[in-house]
Amino acid sequence: MEPTRHPDFEFVTVSGGIEEYRMRSNGLQVLLFEEKSAPVATFMITYRVGSRNESNGLTGATHFLEHLMFKGSENFNRDNKRTVFNVLQRLGAQVNATTWFDRTNYYESLPREHLSLAVEIEADRMRGALLTEEDVASEKNVILNELDRGENEPLRKLYHAVWGAAFVAHPYHHPTIGWRSDVENTTAEALREFYDTFYWPNNATASVIGDVDRMATLDLLASHFGPIGAAPQSIPEIHTAEPEQSGERRVTVRQIGQLGALMIAYKQPAAVNTDTDALDVLSVILAGGKSSRLYRRLVDSGLATSVFSSASSLRDPGLFTVFAMLSPESKHAEVEAVVQEEINRVISSGVDENEMQRVQNQLRAQEAYGRDGSFAIAAQLNEAIAAGDWKLYTTAVERYQRVTEDAVRRVAGAYCVPDTMTVGYYVPVIPDVSGNGSIAGEEA
């Protein structure tokens, strides 16, 4: 397929049928993919800013702005009765936004004939968000309520506790929603400064996936985003590197609940490092479905009700994790020992060819499901963009096919070691009739 020649865009590359362009006037990255399975289109703006970019005192700023970007912009607001949700939902659009460590994204999936409205909205709030004192006060209460709900979810608390213990210097230490005291003290002025630092075309990617015409889409993007200038200053880089961990760390969360949980995390490299591909394969070997090692050892035996594992796909080094929900009579230490045994078995004995073939087939199927519709493609592209290279999405199957049995064994031995391990226990507390708590499951 020949790239589209457009005066306002420079063609960069193509991978997996997805074309990359760069807007000449302001540096906006554009990804185009024609997906004709249905007469719909997904438009997604990915900003390369997340909780990773927040400083102490301003944690939660990206998530706060995610809320505020729906409250009003110059041309879409309550006063003119054209709010984002009202305008788009009348057309049957799916519209929302999400925030994570390395990015925040805003998206619309809608009938293809209304793509122009989605583009107009995102261009308007890229630099025209109102961010009023009134809206900041209103959304602050909403976010604090969201924080309170999170405090009542023990598994979320366990997740935050493990990441908070694993990272002491790098901002992956902070929960994406922010620390409560920072949210309470956030001001419109501080959020405006953060917005003016990061929300620019040259720090964003516009993905257009679906039943669209490429030339008409580039015309549309040029019309709405072309007048927006690039950031007047350089986008700040994150230079903080996590110091080398030199001993295991342990955290315990005790809270009202029924079943205990275990989370084991090891330091791992960034997504663009090829070792992360081998760790992805290792995660499926350990806990990818009913035929995986830990499912057979923990769930089939009755020690756990569920188990899963994952390698993080982040811009900076993250965590390789194993998570298990304990059965009522199980002990945390017993389940932890089984997890360590299976990891050590991979290190000492490796994996066999049949096991690798099963995992490769499973990963191919997952990637195929990931192309089921325009939104699914845009969502996965969003994560790859955040991790540093959108082609991580288009080359995933090819990279996984290159992972060997020896590579899996090597990364298990290199990264799943005690000195880089953080272990989290969730120990449920069951309130008795007097209102006092009693421990439901001891750690040992």
Side-chain angles (χ1 to χ4, degrees):
M1 180 184 292
E2 287 294 319
T4 302
R5 304 299 178 185
H6 193 286
D8 294 310
F9 292 90
E10 174 190 358
F11 172 75
V12 180
T13 189
V14 61
S15 177
I18 298 174
E19 298 176 355
E20 178 188 356
Y21 297 86
R22 185 78 59 174
M23 189 172 283
R24 299 181 192 276
S25 63
N26 57 27
L28 176 71
Q29 184 185 48
V30 174
L31 301 178
L32 289 183
F33 183 59
E34 293 186 28
E35 203 279 327
K36 304 287 190 179
S37 63
V40 298
T42 295
F43 183 63
M44 183 176 291
I45 289 283
T46 302
Y47 291 97
R48 289 180 285 278
V49 57
S51 57
R52 170 182 177 270
N53 304 91
E54 298 163 358
S55 59
N56 287 328
L58 200 58
T59 63
T62 319
H63 176 255
F64 210 131
L65 283 170
E66 177 200 318
H67 282 241
L68 292 173
M69 297 274 267
F70 285 97
K71 299 299 288 185
S73 57
E74 289 179 1
N75 295 309
F76 295 89
N77 52 65
R78 289 187 301 271
D79 291 341
N80 63 16
K81 296 182 173 56
R82 296 183 75 217
T83 66
V84 171
F85 279 123
N86 288 343
V87 169
L88 288 170
Q89 289 177 342
R90 281 200 299 266
L91 304 175
Q94 178 186 7
V95 52
N96 214 327
T98 65
T99 305
W100 196 227
F101 289 124
D102 300 317
R103 54 76 182 161
T104 186
N105 69 315
Y106 300 82
Y107 63 85
E108 298 83 17
S109 287
L110 69 179
R112 62 188 177 190
E113 61 268 23
H114 299 302
L115 174 63
S116 60
L117 180 59
V119 173
E120 180 186 0
I121 285 171
E122 294 305 341
D124 192 55
R125 61 181 173 181
M126 176 176 276
R127 295 302 316 139
L130 299 181
L131 311 183
T132 66
E133 294 278 4
E134 176 187 1
D135 287 339
V136 169
S138 170
E139 288 308 300
K140 184 177 294 186
N141 290 329
V142 173
I143 294 169
L144 289 173
N145 286 335
E146 189 178 339
L147 266 165
D148 289 340
R149 290 195 302 273
E151 286 296 303
N152 293 323
E153 297 176 11
L155 299 187
R156 179 182 291 189
K157 289 190 70 172
L158 177 63
Y159 179 89
H160 287 161
V162 169
W163 278 82
F167 291 94
V168 297
H170 192 279
Y172 287 160
H173 170 85
H174 306 308
T176 304
I177 197 171
W179 300 113
R180 185 181 185 89
S181 58
D182 288 349
V183 175
E184 288 175 334
N185 290 287
T186 296
T187 65
E189 181 182 8
L191 291 172
R192 169 66 67 180
E193 182 178 355
F194 191 84
Y195 173 77
D196 286 342
T197 300
F198 292 103
Y199 292 73
W200 295 91
N202 53 313
N203 198 41
T205 301
S207 300
V208 187
I209 315 295
D211 190 3
V212 297
D213 176 86
R214 290 180 294 162
M215 180 60 80
T217 299
L218 291 176
D219 284 340
L220 185 61
L221 292 169
S223 173
H224 289 287
F225 286 94
I228 303 174
Q233 67 285 317
S234 298
I235 305 297
E237 295 289 340
I238 300 300
H239 300 292
T240 302
E242 182 67 19
E244 183 177 352
Q245 186 174 333
S246 57
E248 75 174 51
R249 301 168 185 170
R250 289 182 174 268
V251 293
T252 300
V253 173
R254 288 187 173 87
Q255 191 166 324
I256 291 175
Q258 297 296 323
L259 299 177
L262 166 73
M263 183 173 174
I264 301 177
Y266 301 94
K267 295 287 174 54
Q268 68 150 87
V272 295
N273 188 310
T274 55
D275 280 357
T276 297
D277 300 331
L279 287 167
D280 279 329
V281 172
L282 175 61
S283 73
V284 180
I285 288 170
L286 290 175
K290 294 184 178 181
S291 57
S292 64
R293 295 187 178 200
L294 288 175
Y295 192 97
R296 295 197 304 268
R297 286 290 309 275
L298 293 175
V299 180
D300 287 348
S301 69
L303 285 172
T305 61
S306 62
V307 61
F308 62 86
S309 177
S310 66
S312 58
S313 183
L314 298 174
R315 188 177 182 90
D316 296 329
L319 295 179
F320 177 85
T321 58
V322 178
F323 184 94
M325 287 294 299
L326 275 59
S327 297
E329 302 304 318
S330 295
K331 304 298 183 184
H332 291 78
E334 180 181 17
V335 174
E336 181 186 346
V338 171
V339 174
Q340 301 287 11
E341 285 172 15
E342 286 303 320
I343 291 174
N344 289 336
R345 193 157 68 90
V346 172
I347 295 171
S348 62
S349 305
V351 295
D352 62 43
E353 184 178 349
N354 290 335
E355 194 170 28
M356 281 293 291
Q357 188 60 54
R358 173 186 66 81
V359 171
Q360 299 283 14
N361 292 340
Q362 197 168 336
L363 287 168
R364 275 199 303 272
Q366 288 176 4
E367 291 303 317
Y369 294 146
R371 283 186 171 242
D372 185 17
S374 62
F375 176 75
I377 295 170
Q380 291 203 63
L381 268 178
N382 172 66
E383 302 307 334
I385 293 162
D389 184 358
W390 64 269
K391 294 183 291 297
L392 288 170
Y393 167 63
T394 57
T395 61
V397 172
E398 175 188 342
R399 297 195 326 274
Y400 291 141
Q401 292 299 312
R402 291 200 295 263
V403 175
T404 64
E405 291 96 330
D406 287 343
V408 174
R409 183 176 185 177
R410 178 182 60 78
V411 298
Y415 298 106
C416 299
V417 296
D419 278 352
T420 73
M421 180 174 69
T422 301
V423 180
Y425 286 3
Y426 162 55
V427 180
V429 175
I430 300 175
D432 58 29
V433 293
S434 67
N436 298 316
S438 60
I439 303 298
E442 294 291 350
E443 295 98 317

